[in-house]
Amino acid sequence: MRYFSCVFFFLCAVLVSALAADIRDPAVYEHPVHSDDPDFKTVQESFSASPMVADYVQTKTIKRLNRSLESSGRMVIRPGTGIAWITERPYASAMIVGRDYMKQQIGSRTVVMDVSENRIYLSIAEALESIFAGDFSHIDTVFDSFFLRDGDTWYLGLIPKDDAVQSFVQSITIQGAKTVDAMLLTEVSGDSILYTLENVEQRTLNSDEEKLFSL
């Protein structure tokens, strides 16, 4: 489980304190999704299956230590292929998550791991990719969904259906306006990971970004 926790923290290193008060508000979980909700339909339409790049800040809060750790860098999403996180601070590294593998790059060293048999890992990896690609049909198969709109800001709450994922992840809360602005993963342990995104672009990937996904 300790190994999986380390993998999960790298996996989730994607998406600042100013947003914490809003996104941590559990009110969204009082509002189950209704497919005919016009606001929810508008949010669905705002997502795209196009590749996406963005700057991210991750704030990991460790409850038992009453401490937060921050990292930041660049995220690249290639729908149908995977997600890459290029960490710039506190040290340079890259984590690329595919459908059945994970690749970590630190300096000149590259390690590729086969995770095709890890049901928890695959469920979370596919869910994160589906969220950013706007694949709500897949999201509905693995999460109970909740939705709340407050002015121009909307919140999407996700609670995993799978027992194995439930043993690790309590909920995923997403906050956005025109695009996804922040995402909060709350763990069963009480720890949490808050991600914020800036400079979001939906565009064709350049050659260096494409190379991230080559084995």
Side-chain angles (χ1 to χ4, degrees):
M1 190 63 181
R2 183 179 178 184
Y3 166 77
F4 175 71
S5 296
C6 293
V7 169
F8 184 69
F9 297 155
F10 273 109
L11 167 67
C12 293
V14 36
L15 303 155
V16 188
S17 301
L19 293 171
D22 290 335
I23 198 169
R24 293 181 190 275
D25 187 341
V28 63
Y29 293 97
E30 300 173 6
H31 302 271
V33 160
H34 296 288
S35 58
D36 59 349
D37 184 330
D39 286 334
F40 183 61
K41 287 183 177 180
T42 299
V43 169
Q44 283 183 295
E45 293 168 358
S46 70
F47 286 85
S48 171
S50 301
M52 186 182 88
V53 296
D55 296 325
Y56 76 84
V57 174
Q58 174 198 342
T59 304
K60 167 67 180 176
T61 300
I62 305 172
K63 183 178 180 181
R64 67 184 182 280
L65 300 178
N66 192 27
R67 183 183 178 190
S68 295
L69 305 172
E70 187 173 289
S71 61
S72 61
R74 190 78 166 155
M75 178 181 70
V76 180
I77 297 178
R78 189 184 186 200
T81 302
I83 308 176
W85 290 273
I86 301 91
T87 303
E88 298 169 352
R89 294 184 176 86
Y91 58 85
S93 64
M95 180 67 68
I96 297 87
V97 178
R99 288 302 176 97
D100 57 3
Y101 74 91
M102 182 173 68
K103 180 172 69 170
Q104 184 177 3
Q105 298 175 333
I106 300 178
S108 60
R109 184 169 179 262
T110 299
V111 177
V112 179
M113 290 169 278
D114 182 352
V115 294
S116 58
E117 301 302 319
N118 190 320
R119 188 160 60 90
I120 299 177
Y121 172 88
L122 288 178
S123 295
I124 295 173
E126 290 176 358
L128 289 175
E129 185 182 340
S130 296
I131 288 168
F132 287 103
D135 184 358
F136 283 85
S137 60
H138 178 74
I139 292 172
D140 289 342
T141 65
V142 293
F143 292 104
D144 289 320
S145 302
F146 303 81
F147 178 77
L148 177 65
R149 188 168 195 121
D150 182 7
D152 293 331
T153 303
W154 52 261
Y155 301 88
L156 178 64
L158 304 173
I159 294 178
K161 295 179 180 179
D162 186 275
D163 291 341
V165 181
Q166 283 179 355
S167 69
F168 191 79
V169 179
Q170 178 177 313
S171 64
I172 300 176
T173 310
I174 303 161
Q175 176 186 6
K178 293 182 179 179
T179 63
V180 173
D181 296 321
M183 184 168 74
L184 176 71
L185 284 90
T186 304
E187 301 167 21
V188 173
S189 66
D191 294 349
S192 63
I193 310 173
L194 174 65
Y195 314 88
T196 59
L197 296 180
E198 295 182 342
N199 303 318
V200 177
E201 297 179 90
Q202 291 180 323
R203 59 167 172 77
T204 301
L205 302 183
N206 61 41
S207 59
D208 288 338
E209 292 163 344
E210 288 283 359
K211 287 178 183 177
L212 293 168
F213 300 99
S214 62
L215 290 177

